[in-house]
Amino acid sequence: MRENKTIYCEKCVGEIKSKDDLVVTNKFIYIVPYHEKCFSKELKGISTIFVGNKPINGTSANVSTILAVILGIVVLFIEELRFFSVVSLVVLCVRLYSWIQYERHL
Ligand SMILES: [Zn+2]
């Protein structure tokens, strides 16, 4: 496994050097990294339709992930809602993917 992988911004193709400058979001089914500035520019542009408007990384994303996991565990005990635990598993996987692919290298 390669350490210190360089992360390139999806919009300007520049290197993302700091964790504070990194916004990971989804574009279609892909998980892509942006500079914080480039992400807000992208949100204002036409590509908003294709880009998720919620970052996958950061504090608020961590809180939503934890909530999704707790909810996922709770619905496991409710037969009619058990399906939703799959959704929470997906949320958790996306969050982990973002961390493994991008955040841990910065
Ligand atoms: Zn950029």
Side-chain angles (χ1 to χ4, degrees):
M1 209 180 282
R2 211 149 49 100
E3 284 302 311
N4 293 323
K5 182 181 147 193
T6 313
I7 314 293
Y8 296 103
C9 173
E10 178 75 7
K11 186 172 172 69
C12 70
V13 204
E15 189 183 339
I16 301 169
K17 290 189 175 119
S18 132
K19 213 172 208 166
D20 298 328
D21 206 16
L22 170 76
V23 176
V24 183
T25 190
N26 65 301
K27 190 174 187 179
F28 295 109
I29 56 164
Y30 303 105
I31 311 293
V32 290
Y34 285 98
H35 286 114
E36 211 184 347
K37 264 188 192 163
C38 296
F39 177 70
S40 51
K41 268 189 217 160
E42 195 84 325
L43 277 187
K44 284 170 196 152
I46 297 166
S47 46
T48 314
I49 313 157
F50 308 117
V51 177
N53 53 10
K54 260 174 68 185
I56 291 164
N57 64 328
T59 314
S60 68
N62 287 339
V63 172
S64 339
T65 306
I66 292 165
L67 287 178
V69 170
I70 293 170
L71 204 70
I73 293 167
V74 170
V75 295
L76 269 181
F77 297 100
I78 307 163
E79 209 168 333
E80 293 81 11
L81 299 175
R82 204 165 280 167
F83 164 77
F84 289 103
S85 61
V86 177
V87 178
S88 113
L89 198 66
V90 171
V91 170
L92 183 65
C93 287
V94 167
R95 185 69 197 87
L96 277 178
Y97 179 87
S98 158
W99 183 79
I100 290 166
Q101 277 291 348
Y102 307 117
E103 290 160 61
R104 75 188 171 100
H105 299 288
L106 295 173

